């Protein structure tokens, strides 16, 4: 099974300690997807047994901040440099 072998990376383990076991990067698509999921989860938390609007305002505010950051990221990635 030569096709399943990992290729060695040229990342120094002194700079990136986790490169020793094969993880030397980020997962931007995963982080973006989790951001959308978390924003929706915050909005779904408004459905519950609380009786005040303060909790809802905080949930809406944090969800809006996450959505703002995600949309800003989409716009920045599409702009040519």
């Amino acid at each position: 099974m030569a096709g399943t072998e990992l290729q060695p990376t040229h990342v120094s383990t002194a700079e990136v300690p986790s490169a020793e076991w094969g993880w030397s990067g980020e997962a931007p698509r995963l982080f973006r997807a989790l951001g959308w999921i978390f924003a929706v989860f915050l909005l779904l938390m408004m459905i519950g047994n609380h009786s005040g609007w303060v909790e809802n305002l905080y949930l809406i505010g944090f969800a809006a901040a996450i959505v703002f950051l995600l949309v800003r990221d989409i716009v920045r990635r599409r702009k040519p440099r």
Side-chain angles (χ1 to χ4, degrees):
M1 293 186 133
T4 60
E5 294 177 8
L6 295 175
Q7 299 296 326
T9 61
H10 301 289
V11 178
S12 170
T13 57
E15 294 177 12
V16 184
S18 60
E20 184 177 353
W21 48 273
W23 179 264
S24 62
E26 294 180 354
R29 289 181 60 199
L30 174 68
F31 296 150
R32 289 182 196 111
L34 288 176
W36 287 109
I37 290 169
F38 192 67
V40 170
F41 176 72
L42 286 174
L43 294 175
L44 287 175
M45 284 177 56
M46 290 178 18
I47 303 169
N49 60 356
H50 57 277
S51 59
W53 267 93
V54 175
E55 297 93 348
N56 289 346
L57 292 176
Y58 273 97
L59 291 170
I60 292 169
F62 283 124
I66 292 171
V67 168
F68 171 76
L69 291 173
L70 290 168
V71 169
R72 187 185 72 164
D73 180 57
I74 290 171
V75 170
R76 291 181 81 191
R77 279 188 295 132
R78 290 180 188 241
K79 276 176 86 172
R81 294 183 186 229

